[in-house]
Amino acid sequence: MCDAGNYRARQGRSAGGSKGRLWTAAATEEQSYEYGSTKYLLLCGLGGMLSCGLTHTAIVPLDLIKCRMQVDPGKYKGILSAFGVTLRDEGLRGLARGWAPTFLGYSMQGLFKFGLYEVFKIRYAELLGVKKAYEWRTGLYLAASASAEFFADVALSPMEAVKVRVQTQPGYASTLRTAAPRMYSEEGLWAFYKGVAPLWMRQIPYTMMKFACFERTVEALYKYVVPKPQSQCTKAEQLAVTFVAGYIAGIFCAVVSHPADSVVSVLNKEKGSTAFGVLRKLGFEGVWKGLFARIIMIGTLTALQWFIYDSVKVYFKLPRPPVAQAPEESFKKQK
């Protein structure tokens, strides 16, 4: 990360100012940090931490219902009935079960997911060169997001395991303080990482879709829907585009990652289970249980995450580059 800030400067100098850059922040914008600098990347990580930690914690009730529908479809048959059963058995407080591991786990995941995405996007663009980075930009988004999520899931796995155990195993433990020590004493360190491979199966396709679909949707919205160029839009209007693109990306994310999400939920609930064993047990129909709840959850979640992340950039006056443009077109507009 320490050298990432020099990339944009080197690229600009070697190409004559801003000529040749794929993503170049508008020169008229007041900026506190250089694009790609160490401070820029750290603040992007902070934005990711806030966006993921806050949003996942806010939807804990829906996440809890979704997990219970996946692991016990006989008792929790639908969204409304599952809410009713939970309220009847545990009261209103029961809907917040698992909030602490959710907040800690997804805050760490967001730090690595968004921060490293920016790092890998810059690095891979540098390796490809400006022309190929534009032509292959979808592949670049996919590769950068997959690389970032690999590390993000290692950070998430321990708290995800605790969260699912607290939410789906009645009588086991009701808080992070009681669940984590019991898991460690009964199963050792493996209890916190046995779900990391299914997490990669769930989260890497999800994140690849989340970032690539978002980037290309933003590009399409400004090209075909928004009636004026991005440079003429206010920050509020740009944030609105961010929210819409995030929701569209979230719907696709939910569908792509749902089967693996079902496996993770059951795997972390059942002691001694394996991913392939759970997959055989659930079958094709079983892995799609709770999909509608997940679409609502992930669509809203993804839209809010991108909105918060972009808002952090606005607050700290970080460079917010326009959508990717062909290098020659970008240069012509600056002449």
Side-chain angles (χ1 to χ4, degrees), residues 79-93:
I79 296 177
L80 294 179
S81 63
F83 269 108
V85 171
T86 301
L87 287 171
R88 184 191 66 208
D89 293 347
E90 305 172 50
L92 192 61
R93 189 174 180 179

Side-chain angles (χ1 to χ4, degrees), residues 60-73:
V60 160
L62 186 57
D63 182 46
L64 178 137
I65 294 304
K66 182 267 303 177
C67 288
R68 290 183 172 181
M69 289 172 62
Q70 289 172 328
V71 303
D72 192 357

Side-chain angles (χ1 to χ4, degrees), residues 53-242:
L54 293 176
T55 53
H56 276 276
T57 303
I59 61 165
V60 160
L62 186 57
D63 182 46
L64 178 137
I65 294 304
K66 182 267 303 177
C67 288
R68 290 183 172 181
M69 289 172 62
Q70 289 172 328
V71 303
D72 192 357
K75 183 177 181 180
Y76 303 97
K77 299 179 180 179
I79 296 177
L80 294 179
S81 63
F83 269 108
V85 171
T86 301
L87 287 171
R88 184 191 66 208
D89 293 347
E90 305 172 50
L92 192 61
R93 189 174 180 179
L95 291 174
R97 185 182 288 269
W99 74 268
T102 297
F103 177 74
L104 292 174
Y106 282 94
S107 292
M108 292 304 298
Q109 186 212 32
L111 171 67
F112 285 92
K113 183 200 296 274
F114 282 88
L116 289 180
Y117 173 72
E118 298 286 355
V119 173
F120 284 118
K121 188 167 79 166
I122 291 171
R123 290 302 190 197
Y124 293 161
E126 182 179 23
L127 291 172
L128 289 171
V130 177
K131 187 173 185 296
K132 287 184 177 178
Y134 174 77
E135 294 172 348
W136 300 349
R137 62 193 182 282
T138 300
L140 188 152
Y141 302 145
L142 292 170
S145 57
S147 301
E149 188 60 38
F150 178 88
F151 296 100
D153 289 341
V154 176
L156 168 64
S157 182
M159 290 298 101
E160 178 74 0
V162 175
K163 175 189 76 76
V164 173
R165 193 70 64 94
V166 167
Q167 289 182 338
T168 63
Q169 193 165 330
Y172 184 84
S174 59
T175 65
L176 169 63
R177 292 193 306 271
T178 55
R182 181 174 175 180
M183 290 171 65
Y184 182 76
S185 64
E186 292 180 354
E187 303 175 57
L189 193 61
W190 177 241
F192 301 102
Y193 289 99
K194 71 176 184 178
V196 72
L199 266 180
W200 285 327
M201 292 167 57
R202 180 187 82 184
Q203 290 296 135
I204 289 179
Y206 163 85
T207 300
M208 291 170 72
M209 182 68 71
K210 174 179 181 175
F211 282 84
C213 185
F214 171 80
E215 299 266 22
R216 295 308 300 262
T217 301
V218 168
E219 191 176 326
L221 288 175
Y222 279 115
K223 186 174 182 180
Y224 299 111
V225 179
V226 179
K228 55 185 177 181
Q230 183 188 11
S231 60
Q232 296 177 18
C233 294
T234 65
K235 286 184 171 63
E237 290 170 337
Q238 291 184 35
L239 288 172
V241 172
T242 294

Side-chain angles (χ1 to χ4, degrees), residues 262-306:
S262 298
V263 173
V264 170
S265 295
V266 177
L267 182 68
N268 283 321
K269 177 198 173 189
E270 298 179 354
K271 182 178 178 180
S273 57
T274 65
F276 288 109
V278 170
L279 191 59
R280 285 195 298 268
K281 177 182 175 181
L282 290 175
F284 179 79
E285 184 177 349
V287 297
W288 295 105
K289 291 286 185 181
L291 176 60
F292 183 67
R294 184 167 168 78
I295 285 176
I296 297 174
M297 182 181 78
I298 296 301
T300 305
L301 190 77
T302 305
L304 288 174
Q305 283 179 359
W306 279 112

